[in-house]
Amino acid sequence: MSYEPRFDKDGQPYKRVNFAEDLEYGLKAEGFVMQVFESRWEVKADRYRNGRMIVETHQWAGRKVDENGDPIWKPSGINITEADWWVYVYGLNESFVVVSVKRLKRFILAHTERLQGKQLAEKSDNPAVGFLLEPEDVMRMMYEKEWDG
């Protein structure tokens, strides 16, 4: 049996697998995950299951107003969390993403203008303001090196 090299999309041969390196990398990943489990978490959920991630920044608690009748918006969500990790549940049974709060903040700060704050739950007694990340935003935030700390 002869070895036939396989090539990537640019016609370059794939690097041969090095089990020892892969094992070392896998063990580092396991250690990282164990650290995450021992950290503080903020858990949010996508009740509408539309693939979008809402990141709340302020709330108009109880629709309270000041002496001029202007809404009193209070920092909330990402602005006040003490968590290390932001967990966003997409399906109560089987799917969620976990991202560091620092990484999420870096991504939002870099895209504030494009993401634009959105008013949420406008008709409730507790409206909020936050950022709406589309599924492609979430994926880019997760894998692009630009957001690494």
Side-chain angles (χ1 to χ4, degrees), residues 16-130:
R16 286 202 165 218
V17 175
N18 181 320
F19 180 77
E21 285 179 9
D22 290 347
L23 177 61
E24 182 181 344
Y25 190 80
L27 291 172
K28 285 180 182 176
E30 286 181 16
F32 166 69
V33 170
M34 294 313 294
Q35 272 186 311
V36 171
F37 284 135
E38 294 169 0
S39 301
R40 295 171 297 179
W41 297 36
E42 180 93 20
V43 179
K44 303 296 180 183
D46 177 10
R47 183 165 39 149
Y48 303 105
R49 299 193 68 162
N50 58 21
R52 296 172 170 169
M53 179 187 286
I54 296 288
V55 181
E56 183 180 303
T57 60
H58 292 82
Q59 64 178 235
W60 184 15
R63 293 187 173 268
K64 293 179 182 169
V65 295
D66 64 15
E67 61 278 353
N68 298 320
D70 295 323
I72 301 173
W73 289 93
K74 294 190 174 189
S76 63
I78 194 81
N79 284 337
I80 63 167
T81 188
E82 294 180 4
D84 303 304
W85 296 94
W86 195 266
V87 180
Y88 204 80
V89 179
Y90 285 96
L92 287 179
N93 300 351
E94 300 177 355
S95 60
F96 59 90
V97 296
V98 180
V99 61
S100 74
V101 169
K102 290 178 182 178
R103 184 181 195 95
L104 179 58
K105 285 180 176 181
R106 282 191 299 269
F107 186 84
I108 289 173
L109 285 172
H111 294 93
T112 300
E113 201 170 296
R114 181 178 60 78
L115 295 174
Q116 298 175 352
K118 308 255 188 254
Q119 188 152 353
L120 315 163
E122 296 175 54
K123 296 178 183 177
S124 79
D125 64 346
N126 194 35
V129 173

